[in-house]
Amino acid sequence: GQKLLIVSLPDMKLDCRPDYMTLVWSESRSQADTSLFRLGSCVPTSVSAREAVFRVHLNDCNFRMLVTGNHLMYTNELVYYSPPNSVTPSFSLPVVCAYERPKDWNPVIYNPVFNTYGQDDLVFSFGIMNDDFSGPAESTSFSLGSFIHIMASVEQQHHQPLLMLLDECVAATSPELQHEVALYPIITNKGCLVDSKTSLSRFEPRVKSSEIHLSLQAFRFALGEEVFIHCNLLAWDPNALDHTKKACNYVKDHGWELLDHPTYSSICDCCESSCKSRKTRSLTSGKHGVERKAVLGPITITDS
């Protein structure tokens, strides 16, 4: 019952299995160089004159995972990078594997990109939870003013302890951001929960450093439509917090407050202007942590 979807375009065969997938591109026109196909960040497993074959795990190749009701959808793109002066233009095609969502499933997003500290990859989780954050939410429909409980966490077997932060979050009416018009900012400016200035939204007190809990009051945006929440997840060295690595709540009649060390709330002052780093260290150097983009949804907000 796991396999739900086989997409067949004239040239593409897709076979989705529980933890891996096989994609075969058969080049009917034979002008394309099959070695120039990419599935997300992956090169073909094998190529011949007429075929490019990918046999890959769903936690590789930069697959993005979406939770849609009772389904888990893994999405990616098959891209052909055309060489200069070629008769075949570059193109891309969507690749989707859909699975029934297991009853006991907890949302996990794997990080295929970073291998920080020279040890095993970190595993990020990002999900909509029930009221006490003890398990996944029963429903993805929320009435205006009720709370959407969001948890992001990082599993770290061999790493130094990392602090989980939500760097930026926006709501959008699409699972992809690049063509998006309508956006609703939730967290901006490197960890400032701007939505808490006009609502009861808040970062909850931490249970453990590797998790962050956000209670988001359902907002007036795209009511009745599908809404996706896009966030930048950050797992960071707890001793390296600064203006760009923080979690700040706005407290009415009090101002901005740092979730982890309220006595150092002055690092949240830039939430009113622009939080820029004075150090220009590249994040990808992996010196202090790891970041990962992730998407939740669709959820629906109703005016009732």
Side-chain angles (χ1 to χ4, degrees):
Q2 270 271 291
K3 191 166 57 167
L4 286 182
L5 196 67
I6 294 184
V7 174
S8 276
L9 290 157
D11 301 301
M12 185 166 81
K13 299 281 185 294
L14 185 58
D15 185 10
C16 301
R17 298 298 171 104
D19 56 353
Y20 72 93
M21 57 89 72
T22 306
L23 184 155
V24 180
W25 176 272
S26 306
E27 182 50 53
S28 54
R29 297 175 301 278
S30 75
Q31 281 120 353
D33 177 347
T34 52
S35 69
L36 298 177
F37 280 96
R38 297 291 180 269
L39 178 59
S41 58
C42 287
V43 299
T45 312
S46 63
V47 291
S48 64
R50 286 291 186 98
E51 273 188 353
V53 178
F54 295 87
R55 184 189 165 95
V56 298
H57 285 274
L58 294 168
N59 57 346
D60 293 331
C61 309
N62 279 342
F63 270 91
R64 297 178 69 175
M65 190 180 65
L66 296 173
V67 189
T68 60
N70 295 322
H71 296 122
L72 302 183
M73 314 266 289
Y74 288 86
T75 65
N76 211 328
E77 280 191 329
L78 178 71
V79 182
Y80 179 67
Y81 291 99
S82 178
N85 307 320
S86 164
V87 290
T88 310
S90 295
F91 61 88
S92 71
L93 292 167
V95 174
V96 179
C97 280
Y99 301 93
E100 288 174 31
R101 178 174 171 174
K103 291 281 178 281
D104 57 352
W105 180 84
N106 271 322
V108 172
I109 290 184
Y110 291 91
N111 186 339
V113 181
F114 291 91
N115 189 7
T116 49
Y117 318 117
Q119 298 179 12
D120 296 348
D121 276 357
L122 298 175
V123 179
F124 286 96
S125 302
F126 187 44
I128 299 175
M129 309 298 283
N130 56 15
D131 285 353
D132 62 359
F133 291 90
S134 60
E138 297 288 311
S139 165
T140 53
S141 181
F142 300 90
S143 56
L144 198 60
S146 68
F147 283 96
I148 305 163
H149 299 287
I150 294 171
M151 182 188 77
S153 67
V154 60
E155 201 177 297
Q156 48 204 73
Q157 282 135 353
H158 309 293
H159 293 265
Q160 67 182 68
L162 292 171
L163 189 70
M164 190 70 215
L165 297 167
L166 289 172
D167 185 44
E168 309 274 337
C169 289
V170 296
T173 49
S174 151
E176 300 289 336
L177 277 183
Q178 59 261 36
H179 305 302
E180 194 50 56
V181 183
L183 294 177
Y184 181 90
I186 298 166
I187 298 168
T188 63
N189 226 346
K190 310 289 182 188
C192 305
L193 180 55
V194 289
D195 191 58
S196 62
K197 289 192 78 170
T198 55
S199 73
L200 298 176
S201 297
R202 63 191 177 275
F203 288 119
E204 299 289 359
R206 284 201 195 260
V207 181
K208 50 185 177 183
S209 65
S210 59
E211 287 185 6
I212 192 163
H213 294 176
L214 171 62
S215 292
L216 185 62
Q217 194 171 25
F219 37 85
R220 189 174 288 283
F221 171 76
L223 294 178
E225 292 180 53
E226 288 194 339
V227 171
F228 297 84
I229 295 173
H230 298 255
C231 289
N232 201 41
L233 280 46
L234 207 59
W236 207 253
D237 176 352
N239 300 314
L241 292 186
D242 67 10
H243 296 84
T244 65
K245 307 291 178 293
K246 62 190 187 303
C248 299
N249 280 322
Y250 188 81
V251 181
K252 197 172 186 299
D253 301 327
H254 175 75
W256 289 99
E257 187 174 276
L258 187 64
L259 173 68
D260 294 291
H261 301 286
T263 45
Y264 298 107
S265 290
S266 61
I267 76 167
C268 296
D269 290 351
C270 63
C271 288
E272 289 298 317
S273 53
S274 176
C275 300
K276 291 193 174 76
S277 177
R278 285 188 285 273
K279 297 189 289 289
T280 55
R281 170 177 281 142
S282 162
L283 181 66
T284 49
S285 65
K287 290 285 193 298
H288 285 305
V290 175
E291 68 175 323
R292 174 80 173 125
K293 291 197 179 333
V295 187
L296 279 179
I299 62 169
T300 314
I301 299 170
T302 57
D303 193 357
S304 57

